[in-house]
Amino acid sequence: MREKQLNNDLFQPAVISMEASEKITEESTSFWQDARRRLFENKGSVAGLIIIAVILLFAFLGPVLSQYGFDDQDVSRANLPPRIPVLEKVGFLGIDGVDIRGVNQYEMKNQKDNYYWFGTDALGRDQFVRVWKGTQISLYIAFLAAAIDMVIGVAYGAISGYRGGRTDNIMQRIIEIVIGIPNLIVIILFILILEPGILSITISLVITGWTTMARIVRGQILKLKNQEFVMASQTLGANSSRILTKHMFPNILGSIIITSMFTIPNAIFFEAFLSFIGLGIAPPTASLGSLVNEGFKSLQIYPHLVLYPAVIISLIMISFNLLGDGLRDALDPKMRK
């Protein structure tokens, strides 16, 4: 077989352009743009974000949609099961005004023209209004806990880790003392001084709720403060506040956000637990935990009193955990594909 001769006609000179070699073929993205893209690619975090948005919307619009207040009482409409227009004709949904004994409570109590989407409680109060009003209280406590983490926990942990030495030792011993005091004991002490309610829960969170964030921030600061870019900034004469705000905080912001996202469901569960054992929100004000506590007493006869607040608590905790997982993956550079 004859080999093909190589000659100049078989080759063409390559066109080398400096502009073409330096041209960026893909769009340049920052760290936060890439994190946002990866967050929205995570179906679980998107689902959690949508659930949170819907719950927030109903929490603020729900009480406005009803003509009744959260504390309006009328025993003539006590313990009515859920009833929703149009959907009441679908029997298997259980929202047709018929209780578990097969009795139409609306006809029996002359309430044929009224609709209570979540039913009513033993005092005739509209559960739809009370559930969403309770959601407001629970979300307030949850976001308050996150704010305390962001302010007290971040500042305390940053100072402890950056100063180091004796200052760090003293501050960490203080954290160990605070952690050693159970939250329930602190709540009981403030209830004895004040009374059950939002104020006592708020003060207890201010005292004990920031320790986890402080430890996480301290660990991140200890890891970063000996890095080359920090030492270079110190060599150029930057003061401590500038190094913390301009160089360290941007590098630990992901950890702060993730920890705050996981703080929110923990705070909601904490408030629900306190209200369930009678140490939380005082009536007539409602929270999701207090509503579960009230409905639990008549669970077998009127299950709707427990069902709706329990479902809302579960959805809030699941959605914030899903969002926290998505943020953890999106803000971690090691998770990039």
Side-chain angles (χ1 to χ4, degrees):
M1 185 174 181
R2 199 170 78 178
E3 296 183 359
K4 192 172 184 178
Q5 296 293 329
L6 299 178
N7 52 51
N8 293 333
D9 295 336
L10 297 177
F11 297 92
Q12 292 181 355
V15 179
I16 301 175
S17 172
M18 295 301 294
E19 294 181 359
S21 63
E22 294 180 359
K23 184 178 180 181
I24 299 175
T25 57
E26 294 185 2
E27 183 183 356
S28 178
T29 58
S30 65
F31 170 77
W32 292 107
Q33 289 174 332
D34 183 66
R36 184 179 59 203
R37 176 185 59 80
R38 286 188 287 152
L39 175 66
F40 285 105
E41 287 177 353
N42 188 323
K43 296 180 180 178
S45 62
V46 172
L49 194 60
I50 292 173
I51 294 172
I52 293 170
V54 172
I55 290 176
L56 284 172
L57 181 65
F58 273 98
F60 290 99
L61 293 182
V64 181
L65 296 175
S66 177
Q67 59 180 326
Y68 304 106
F70 72 94
D71 57 351
D72 291 346
Q73 301 180 15
D74 185 354
V75 292
S76 66
R77 59 173 190 256
N79 295 320
L80 292 174
R83 188 185 180 203
I84 300 177
V86 181
L87 295 179
E88 63 178 330
K89 298 178 181 179
V90 185
F92 68 89
L93 293 178
I95 49 178
D96 53 358
V98 179
D99 62 16
I100 60 174
R101 295 167 293 187
V103 179
N104 192 319
Q105 294 288 333
Y106 286 80
E107 293 181 356
M108 188 175 70
K109 296 181 179 180
N110 296 320
Q111 299 286 335
K112 295 180 181 180
D113 298 330
N114 293 328
Y115 290 89
Y116 299 97
W117 289 17
F118 289 178
T120 59
D121 63 4
L123 297 176
R125 295 174 294 191
D126 189 354
Q127 278 292 98
F128 183 82
V129 178
R130 289 181 63 77
V131 165
W132 295 120
K133 196 70 177 178
T135 304
Q136 289 183 15
I137 301 297
S138 297
L139 288 175
Y140 160 76
I141 293 173
F143 287 115
L144 173 68
I148 291 170
D149 270 3
M150 297 285 285
V151 176
I152 301 177
V154 171
Y156 193 97
I159 294 171
S160 177
Y162 186 77
R163 296 289 296 177
R166 185 176 181 181
T167 302
D168 183 38
N169 287 331
I170 294 173
M171 296 180 75
Q172 291 308 303
R173 300 297 82 76
I174 294 173
I175 286 184
E176 290 173 1
I177 293 171
V178 173
I179 291 176
I181 304 173
N183 289 346
L184 191 59
I185 301 298
V186 177
I187 283 285
I188 293 173
L189 289 175
F190 279 105
I191 287 175
L192 293 175
I193 299 173
L194 303 171
E195 60 182 12
I198 296 177
L199 182 59
S200 57
I201 295 176
T202 300
I203 295 175
S204 68
L205 289 174
V206 170
I207 293 175
T208 63
W210 49 269
T211 53
T212 301
M213 176 68 82
R215 284 187 162 184
I216 290 174
V217 171
R218 171 184 175 268
Q220 295 292 322
I221 294 294
L222 288 174
K223 184 174 68 174
L224 291 174
K225 75 174 185 177
N226 292 323
Q227 297 289 326
E228 289 81 359
F229 67 90
V230 175
M231 290 189 289
S233 183
Q234 290 172 339
T235 304
L236 293 173
N239 55 28
S240 299
S241 61
R242 180 174 178 81
I243 292 173
L244 284 171
T245 56
K246 298 294 184 180
H247 299 289
M248 290 191 174
F249 280 163
N251 285 281
I252 66 173
L253 189 57
S255 299
I256 294 172
I257 293 174
I258 293 166
T259 305
S260 299
M261 284 296 102
F262 287 114
T263 298
I264 290 174
N266 290 335
I268 290 175
F269 180 79
F270 178 63
E271 181 277 326
F273 169 72
L274 291 176
S275 298
F276 186 77
I277 63 176
L279 298 178
I281 305 301
T285 306
S287 71
L288 293 175
S290 64
L291 290 173
V292 172
N293 182 34
E294 293 173 5
F296 184 75
K297 301 171 184 177
S298 56
L299 175 61
Q300 294 182 339
I301 304 174
Y302 307 112
H304 67 276
L305 297 178
V306 175
L307 176 63
Y308 295 107
V311 168
I312 299 299
I313 291 175
S314 302
L315 287 176
I316 291 174
M317 296 186 68
I318 291 172
S319 58
F320 272 107
N321 278 308
L322 288 173
L323 181 59
D325 287 336
L327 286 171
R328 180 189 59 199
D329 296 342
L331 296 173
D332 187 357
K334 298 177 183 178
M335 299 295 293
R336 294 186 64 178
K337 296 182 180 178

